[in-house]
Amino acid sequence: MIAQIAAGIIFVVMFLLIISEKVERHIVTLISGCAMFLIVFGLCMHSTEAMLKTLNLENMTHLSFWYERYPVSEESSGINWATIIFIAGMMIMVEGMARVGFFRWLCMTIAKFVHYQVIPIFITFMIMSAVLAMFIDSITVILFLAAVTVELAQLLKFNPVPMILSEIFCANLGGSATMCGDPPNIIIGTSLGYSFADFITNTGVMAGISLIAIVFYFYFAYRKELQPAGTAASAPIAYPNPVDAITDKRGFVLSCLVFGGTVILLVTHAQTGMTVALIGVLSAAATLLAAGRHAPMLLKKVDYKTLLFFIGLFMVVGGLEQTGILEIIAFYIGEVSGGNLMLMTAIIIWVSAVASAFVDNIPFAATMIPVIKTLALTTDAELSVLAWALSMGTDVGGSATPIGASANVVGTSVAAREGHPVSWGQYCRRSVPATIIVLVISTVFIWVRYL
């Protein structure tokens, strides 16, 4: 009991500090993780075994960690090293693509394809944002899309804010479609053993249906605000050449090949047996080889703070798991739902969405995974159905507010830096209804298809 109280206090303090944003979040989770080890595992439980299970270093020594054709090692908890290795690999690959101008070239090529017409750009950029976020971190997608959107807005004389807000929402939605789209999905997939195909045929279908509805929603919500100002748009304009965005032609070709190869490996990893950890290592290695003398620069640009944040977070969640707190939460959800599977999935998807609108969805998803595993064991619920509900709730719920997901913060920051500040009211007025639309579609889809 003392261990559970101590673990609960550490977790709550960690969450409050993350929300307050007074201290960098990687420092918060690492200190919280160390406190979990010293206070809970050391002073309260006197358990070296709990420490080793949470560190989970032995798991990386099993061949099944890298190649699933080998006998699978025992189920493990604690630090999810597969998630951390995969994200690190994707970070290196994305930095390599950014260095050669891939993202700016893609945006300008699409703008040119639709003849620099504002409404077609608006629609195609939303779709592109969703598609890119299926394979690339949404923060990176929005960072480049928002910058190019501002540039096009200055050129074509329209307000960039509606387009940026729509791109943010679609990036978060697209990230829910695949296992590698958003960090919560990476955590869910690697923790529960689901493949790229599992996600694309379940959350991917929900995201696809929702994207159609959302494109129509944002079009009708913003079509008047996207009209060019005055007659300035009719003046002769020298449009940028997409090719000029490419800074290294050889590197551009190689980066495209690496990206294409990575997508193929992710799509087929259930058939090839390659784990996402191995795919992450191979993608990073190929990117660094292709970069040549620029490789050290790419390594320096990796967001190590985010990786440390994940490590500390998994340490804390491992403490909650070892002390049995997550089993108590699962029991409570089961009691509230009365064993009704429709109510249980609704609770998971809507509570996840509301929580993710105000707190980081990554720690919430990591915390809930052991909870839904326990629910599946103690009720008649299918684990996969609970996983899809958790995925859609955490990924989409974060779109509702400016602080719900990192992509939101990045996109609104770019807009503000360019002289277009976005207030909470301006953001939520359009994003909250869009979030509700997707959650309703997802809830009904889950009820009809699985229950």
Side-chain angles (χ1 to χ4, degrees):
M1 178 64 73
I2 296 177
Q4 289 179 341
I5 294 173
I9 291 173
I10 291 171
F11 180 76
V12 170
V13 171
M14 180 193 76
F15 243 117
L16 292 175
L17 288 173
I18 290 176
I19 296 170
S20 70
E21 298 182 347
K22 300 295 184 182
V23 184
E24 290 190 87
R25 64 179 190 168
H26 70 286
I27 295 176
V28 172
T29 59
L30 286 174
I31 292 176
S32 301
C34 291
M36 191 71 76
F37 270 55
L38 293 174
I39 298 173
V40 178
F41 296 156
L43 296 178
C44 298
M45 297 175 62
H46 305 289
S47 176
T48 304
E49 183 182 359
M51 294 183 185
L52 293 176
K53 282 186 176 180
T54 302
L55 285 175
N56 201 21
L57 293 170
E58 184 185 358
N59 195 37
M60 287 189 288
T61 65
H62 294 127
L63 289 173
S64 59
F65 181 85
W66 304 100
Y67 189 59
E68 291 174 346
R69 299 294 184 188
Y70 288 95
V72 179
S73 58
E74 293 184 7
E75 185 180 350
S76 60
S77 59
I79 300 176
N80 189 331
W81 291 108
T83 295
I84 292 168
I85 292 171
F86 176 72
I87 291 176
M90 293 300 98
M91 285 179 176
I92 293 172
M93 183 190 74
V94 168
E95 287 297 340
M97 296 169 70
R99 182 188 70 82
V100 298
F102 173 85
F103 297 105
R104 191 168 184 276
W105 167 84
L106 180 62
C107 293
M108 289 301 181
T109 298
I110 290 178
K112 182 179 180 181
F113 179 77
V114 297
H115 306 293
Y116 295 95
Q117 298 299 306
V118 176
I119 294 299
I121 289 175
F122 175 61
I123 294 173
T124 53
F125 271 36
M126 278 195 288
I127 296 172
M128 179 173 62
S129 178
V131 173
L132 283 176
M134 292 170 62
F135 306 100
I136 298 172
D137 180 67
S138 58
I139 299 173
T140 302
V141 172
I142 291 303
L143 186 64
F144 287 95
L145 263 181
V148 174
T149 297
V150 170
E151 182 179 346
L152 288 173
Q154 294 170 347
L155 186 71
L156 304 176
K157 310 301 181 186
F158 67 87
N159 179 10
V161 172
M163 197 174 294
I164 291 174
L165 297 187
S166 303
E167 291 161 358
I168 290 170
F169 192 95
C170 289
N172 290 328
L173 180 59
S176 69
T178 66
M179 191 186 76
C180 58
D182 269 353
N185 283 15
I186 299 172
I187 297 171
I188 293 170
T190 54
S191 298
L192 303 181
Y194 295 134
S195 67
F196 186 95
D198 291 329
F199 274 91
I200 201 72
T201 53
N202 291 281
T203 60
V205 177
M206 286 184 265
I209 296 171
S210 300
L211 180 61
I212 295 172
I214 289 304
V215 168
F216 278 104
Y217 165 78
F218 278 124
Y219 168 73
F220 287 108
Y222 283 134
R223 67 187 188 281
K224 292 182 180 179
E225 295 181 46
L226 287 168
Q227 294 301 321
T231 58
S234 62
I237 298 175
Y239 295 123
N241 187 351
V243 177
D244 294 337
I246 301 173
T247 58
D248 179 349
K249 292 184 179 180
R250 176 181 174 276
F252 178 84
V253 173
L254 292 175
S255 292
C256 289
L257 291 174
V258 172
F259 177 61
T262 301
V263 171
I264 292 172
L265 290 178
L266 286 169
V267 171
T268 62
H269 81 93
Q271 290 72 41
T272 62
M274 288 186 179
T275 64
V276 292
L278 178 57
I279 293 172
V281 170
L282 292 176
S283 298
T287 300
L288 293 173
L289 286 173
R293 60 187 177 86
H294 299 286
M297 180 190 69
L298 298 185
L299 290 173
K300 287 180 181 178
K301 287 190 174 183
V302 171
D303 187 359
Y304 294 103
K305 291 182 179 180
T306 294
L307 300 179
L308 292 173
F309 163 75
F310 274 108
I311 292 173
L313 170 63
F314 285 129
M315 290 168 67
V316 174
V317 173
L320 298 180
E321 193 170 2
Q322 293 295 326
T323 54
I325 289 179
L326 299 181
E327 290 184 10
I328 296 173
I329 297 173
F331 175 78
Y332 181 73
I333 293 176
E335 286 289 304
V336 170
S337 64
N340 184 301
L341 299 184
M342 294 182 73
L343 182 55
M344 191 183 300
T345 53
I347 289 173
I348 291 173
I349 193 169
W350 286 88
V351 169
S352 299
V354 172
S356 297
F358 299 99
V359 301
D360 198 313
N361 59 4
I362 297 171
F364 186 86
T367 306
M368 284 296 294
I369 287 170
V371 172
I372 64 173
K373 287 166 69 175
T374 303
L375 274 173
L377 290 173
T378 56
T379 67
D380 294 329
E382 285 284 338
L383 177 59
S384 59
V385 177
L386 302 182
W388 309 143
L390 176 62
S391 171
M392 293 305 295
T394 52
D395 291 336
V396 176
S399 301
T401 66
I403 61 170
S406 299
N408 310 9
V409 177
V410 169
T412 53
S413 297
V414 171
R417 188 176 68 238
E418 298 297 331
H420 302 279
V422 180
S423 67
W424 266 70
Q426 185 180 9
Y427 186 99
C428 295
R429 186 169 62 253
R430 302 300 189 192
S431 294
V432 170
T435 301
I436 293 172
I437 289 171
V438 176
L439 291 177
V440 169
I441 291 173
S442 301
T443 303
V444 172
F445 182 91
I446 289 173
W447 284 351
V448 172
R449 180 172 177 179
Y450 305 112
L451 304 179

